[in-house]
Amino acid sequence: MVMTETAPAPRRAAVRDGLGVGLAVGISGLAFGAAAVTAGLSVAQACALSLLAFTGASQFALVGVIGGGGALVTGVLGAVLLGSRNALYGMRLADLLRVRGARRLLTAHLVIDETAAVATAQPDRASARTGFYVTAVTLLLNWNLTTLLGALGAARLGDPETIGLDVLGPAVFLALLWPRLTAGRTELRVAAAAAAIALVATPLLPPGVPVMLAAVAALIGAAR
Amino acid sequence: MNVWIAIAATALGCYALKLGGLVTPQRVLADPRVRRFTDLVPVALLTALVAVQALAHGKALELDGPRLAGLGAAVAALLLRAPFLVVLAVAAGTAALLRLVF
């Protein structure tokens, strides 16, 4: 085996993380496609959302409001509000990715929970970049493909909870956060405060706002 | 509002936010306080997301036994240093098994 020809270990780990996350989270694309069509969107509309909005939580929020018969304006505002955390990820990723010009315009589309999670879990800038783009491309392909399949087969798709898919989302982020949670006391305190803030705010504020509000925990952690 | 317009507005709004963060000037991000904040943001937001996904359904807090057991199994797998996909399989498998049995 010629070791010198393979990528260094952190880069390989980043590729592995990216492929794993891209494939695992892409599965919820099935659930999104089914939810969108059940809510009354056409297959083309479900696919357009996955391609153009490309941020799962916002997409689920919009079709949730449409399905529930709510006003479209409310649905759009809620969806965009949910997307606001991507702006905060972008601030962190700006320094990690250092992209300019047209590449930056394309990269922006890929700034979401999963890509931010994989990129910030890597030990150095080169593997952070690798992790970001591998996750982004895998997820973009898988998310759009599974949205189409889910939308076409909405009627045949059973309850995703039966096979434990509702645990997949939180388990993915927990696994990616793990190295940072076990790395330092500040991180652990920020994480605990963030979870507490989000849970206390959940019954009081519209969905999506509690997670955004948890950024206050990072603000306190940074000020100390 | 037409559904297509709602889709376009959502896509545009979400893209603008993504780009907004990414174009933050380097000199703003170079400030040590800002740097510390942006470094901790993913930890805070993703933990909050895990907590909400695990314990909330819409605006209601709920304790779903199989889901929490699945996450507990994920933590155990992480403590045993299991690979990423094994952690996910253990988490989903535990929840699915419990729902099948009970």
Side-chain angles (χ1 to χ4, degrees):
Chain A
M1 190 150 81
V2 187
M3 291 301 288
T4 47
E5 282 183 10
T6 56
R11 294 280 290 275
R12 278 206 308 272
V15 171
R16 227 172 23 234
D17 278 0
L19 288 175
V21 172
L23 292 176
V25 183
I27 293 171
S28 53
L30 282 175
F32 173 72
V37 169
T38 309
L41 275 75
S42 67
V43 173
Q45 287 169 336
C47 291
L49 258 181
S50 278
L51 195 63
L52 302 175
F54 190 52
T55 178
S58 300
Q59 295 177 223
F60 272 108
L62 180 64
V63 304
V65 171
I66 294 175
L72 285 175
V73 178
T74 317
V76 171
L77 287 178
V80 174
L81 189 67
L82 266 171
S84 54
R85 63 174 180 265
N86 292 331
L88 290 177
Y89 294 140
M91 287 175 70
R92 175 72 187 108
L93 293 169
D95 184 49
L96 279 177
L97 303 173
R98 306 238 169 127
V99 278
R100 290 274 171 277
R103 267 192 72 185
R104 180 155 71 181
L105 293 178
L106 287 175
T107 300
H109 191 50
L110 311 173
V111 175
I112 49 174
D113 290 316
E114 291 81 5
T115 49
V118 172
T120 56
Q122 308 308 321
D124 56 72
R125 183 169 285 140
S127 37
R129 281 183 177 186
T130 304
F132 178 88
Y133 287 108
V134 171
T135 310
V137 172
T138 314
L139 193 53
L140 190 64
L141 295 175
N142 202 24
W143 180 248
N144 285 288
L145 179 69
T146 51
T147 296
L148 176 65
L149 294 177
L152 289 174
R156 270 165 309 190
L157 202 71
D159 183 0
E161 290 199 7
T162 319
I163 49 170
L165 288 190
D166 56 323
V167 191
L168 219 46
V172 162
F173 294 121
L174 190 65
L176 290 170
L177 273 170
W178 198 255
R180 293 209 58 189
L181 293 183
T182 48
R185 203 174 266 182
T186 309
E187 274 83 356
L188 207 55
R189 282 196 189 132
V190 167
I197 290 170
L199 290 175
V200 168
T202 291
L204 309 172
L205 299 168
V209 181
V211 171
M212 194 62 195
L213 197 63
V216 171
L219 208 57
I220 297 168
R224 292 165 41 102
Chain B
M1 197 195 278
N2 175 295
V3 172
W4 277 112
I5 297 173
I7 290 171
T10 300
L12 270 178
C14 288
Y15 179 76
L17 284 165
K18 291 169 172 179
L19 187 64
L22 212 53
V23 298
T24 310
Q26 210 51 243
R27 61 184 158 73
V28 175
L29 297 175
D31 181 274
R33 283 266 172 96
V34 176
R35 212 186 171 80
R36 198 83 194 102
F37 170 69
T38 58
D39 187 45
L40 286 170
V41 156
V43 174
L45 296 194
L46 294 173
T47 308
L49 199 59
V50 171
V52 169
Q53 285 179 342
L55 294 165
H57 189 269
K59 287 181 76 168
L61 295 179
E62 64 168 18
L63 291 175
D64 181 299
R67 189 187 304 153
L68 293 178
L71 273 180
V75 170
L78 286 166
L79 286 170
L80 293 170
R81 297 172 182 279
F84 182 69
L85 289 178
V86 174
V87 173
L88 300 191
V90 165
T94 303
L97 197 68
L98 287 173
R99 286 189 181 125
L100 195 69
V101 174
F102 296 106

